[in-house]
Amino acid sequence: MTTAPALAAPPATLSSVTGCPLSPSPDAAGRARSFTRQALDSWGLGELADDAELVVTELLANAVRHAWPNRPDGSADAVALALWLLRDANGLMCVVTDPSDSAPALRQPGPSGENGRGLHVIHALSDHWGWSALSEHGKAVWAILFRD
């Protein structure tokens, strides 16, 4: 699998697809949110930016939490963690890829639980969400947000 090169900021004229590789580092979520907002503003989809930033943050948090802890040496295919944004006239698809083959699953957290709400947030903010296995290994978890 190949990923797009890292972008400091999306170019002024974007195609219908843009992406950036990420790492499971403390600044990854901020980078992903900034990249998403800049891309949506460039595409004229700024009205979706707030929800898209939250969705991207939760997709990324889930990928880091569930894909990396299972590696005994803490390593991962860093290039496999990536954010992709796909533009459509009616909205946007946000995709985060990770090296895990495990399917995402909605959990029912307890009332005082601090984890287990990410997919609920994604479900609430997106029009559709799901996941697809990648050909070699890993998966892509995606969410679609339509304009109102």
Side-chain angles (χ1 to χ4, degrees):
M1 183 181 99
T2 59
T3 59
L7 298 173
T13 305
L14 292 174
S15 67
S16 296
V17 178
T18 191
C20 66
L22 297 168
S23 63
S25 64
D27 69 335
R31 264 188 75 212
R33 283 190 299 272
S34 177
F35 184 84
T36 298
R37 182 163 296 275
Q38 291 174 8
L40 295 184
D41 286 345
S42 294
W43 282 338
L45 294 172
E47 73 270 20
L48 297 176
D50 289 342
D51 288 349
E53 282 183 348
L54 285 170
V55 165
V56 163
T57 299
E58 292 300 335
L59 290 172
L60 178 60
N62 285 345
V64 170
R65 167 171 266 133
H66 300 291
W68 270 262
N70 298 329
R71 299 214 181 268
D73 62 357
S75 69
D77 302 321
V79 73
L81 182 61
L83 167 63
W84 295 94
L85 302 173
L86 295 83
R87 171 181 66 162
D88 180 84
N90 298 316
L92 167 79
M93 177 184 269
C94 306
V95 182
V96 170
T97 59
D98 71 56
S100 172
D101 295 323
S102 299
L106 281 167
R107 297 181 358 198
Q108 293 303 323
S112 62
E114 294 183 18
N115 298 317
R117 291 180 173 77
L119 288 177
H120 293 279
V121 171
I122 293 166
H123 180 77
L125 294 176
S126 64
D127 293 286
H128 302 286
W129 73 273
W131 73 282
S132 302
L134 299 176
S135 60
E136 299 273 328
H137 65 86
K139 67 180 173 298
V141 184
W142 49 266
I144 298 172
L145 290 81
F146 290 125
R147 290 179 168 188
D148 289 330

